[in-house]
Amino acid sequence: MLGEPTRDRRAERREATKVEILDAAWAIAREEGLAALSLRDVARRVGMQAPSLYGYFDSKMAIYDAMYAQGAQQFVDAERWDEMTGDARHDIRLIIHTVVEFCTADTARYQLLFQRTIPGFEPSPEAFAVSVDELDRLAAHLATCGLTEPGDIDLFTALGTGLTDQQISNDPGGDRWIRLIDDAVDMFVDHIEKRNAARTVRSTRTARSTRTRRKAG
């Protein structure tokens, strides 16, 4: 009879300690700001000496990187793909609401994921891969909503971050700019639909003109 698989209790304890360290780092970032994070303060909160942290993270930047990976995964988990319908206006509203509400719910996390708050910090390829995969999936869906130009995506991201920044800066904890999301999306979608319709008309006229010339020739 085969025995039960042996648990690696040492690895489990190590992973639990890493989680505890990251929880402490997030608590400091939310209370005092991302830039206020120090190894000494993190170590004190988890009841160890600062040099002991190097057994889990080799630098403060490594802690930021692990925090980034956590935040990126939380963003992925927050996406409401099961509520997408394929209707451009509905889906873009849903995406912008999700983005703005996710970002305004945790300012420290928003700053780490979407702003360059920490001088010299760049997420590792492994941590950034989570964001890249989600953004690729998002871009593919937005293309089905008519956002086919690079500038469309730029304007889309500016819409989300602009509303987020205004909400955080001018009405923290409120909903003054969150309440404007649907109106802003309507203007955006109207612009995209009008442009795409005009392109279709031009393309149709060009095709007809080409067929006429061929017949005449």
Side-chain angles (χ1 to χ4, degrees), residues 159-199:
L159 184 63
T161 56
L163 290 166
T164 296
D165 286 342
Q166 286 285 69
Q167 186 61 57
I168 289 174
S169 299
N170 298 298
D171 187 30
D175 67 350
R176 181 177 172 185
W177 274 267
I178 290 174
R179 285 188 282 109
L180 298 177
I181 290 175
D182 288 354
D183 286 346
V185 169
D186 282 345
M187 289 189 289
F188 177 56
V189 173
D190 287 346
H191 162 70
I192 296 296
E193 290 181 344
K194 181 178 179 181
R195 184 203 63 192
N196 290 347
R199 286 181 177 176

Side-chain angles (χ1 to χ4, degrees), residues 88 92 138-156 188 191-193 195-197 199-200:
I92 294 173
L138 185 61
H141 186 75
L142 290 174
T144 69
C145 294
L147 279 64
T148 56
E149 301 293 333
D152 296 343
I153 303 301
D154 289 344
L155 189 55
F156 170 84
F188 177 56
H191 162 70
I192 296 296
E193 290 181 344
R195 184 203 63 192
N196 290 347
R199 286 181 177 176
T200 299

Side-chain angles (χ1 to χ4, degrees), residues 16-184:
T17 301
K18 290 179 71 173
V19 171
E20 186 179 2
I21 290 169
L22 292 176
D23 286 346
W26 279 116
I28 293 169
R30 288 163 182 149
E31 294 167 11
E32 304 175 25
L34 277 170
L37 191 67
S38 74
L39 295 180
R40 182 180 60 186
D41 289 342
V42 172
R44 185 173 64 249
R45 292 206 180 202
V46 297
M48 62 173 64
Q49 297 297 315
S52 299
L53 289 179
Y54 290 108
Y56 301 92
F57 297 96
D58 59 15
S59 66
K60 185 167 70 172
M61 290 300 181
I63 293 179
Y64 282 130
D65 191 62
M67 293 168 68
Y68 182 97
Q70 279 188 335
Q73 186 59 53
Q74 289 166 0
F75 180 74
V76 171
D77 294 341
E79 287 285 8
R80 296 149 64 184
W81 291 105
D82 60 327
E83 298 180 38
M84 302 291 184
T85 66
D87 176 76
R89 198 173 301 269
H90 171 274
D91 288 359
I92 294 173
R93 279 181 176 180
L94 182 64
I95 293 167
I96 293 291
H97 270 286
T98 301
V99 169
V100 175
E101 289 164 13
F102 174 85
C103 292
T104 56
D106 189 334
T107 302
R109 182 178 61 189
Y110 166 64
Q111 291 172 337
L112 183 61
L113 292 179
F114 299 106
Q115 297 183 327
R116 294 183 177 273
T117 306
I118 308 302
F121 172 71
E122 292 286 345
S124 66
E126 295 77 14
F128 194 55
V130 179
S131 294
V132 171
D133 290 344
E134 182 65 9
L135 290 174
D136 286 346
R137 183 183 183 187
L138 185 61
H141 186 75
L142 290 174
T144 69
C145 294
L147 279 64
T148 56
E149 301 293 333
D152 296 343
I153 303 301
D154 289 344
L155 189 55
F156 170 84
T157 57
L159 184 63
T161 56
L163 290 166
T164 296
D165 286 342
Q166 286 285 69
Q167 186 61 57
I168 289 174
S169 299
N170 298 298
D171 187 30
D175 67 350
R176 181 177 172 185
W177 274 267
I178 290 174
R179 285 188 282 109
L180 298 177
I181 290 175
D182 288 354
D183 286 346

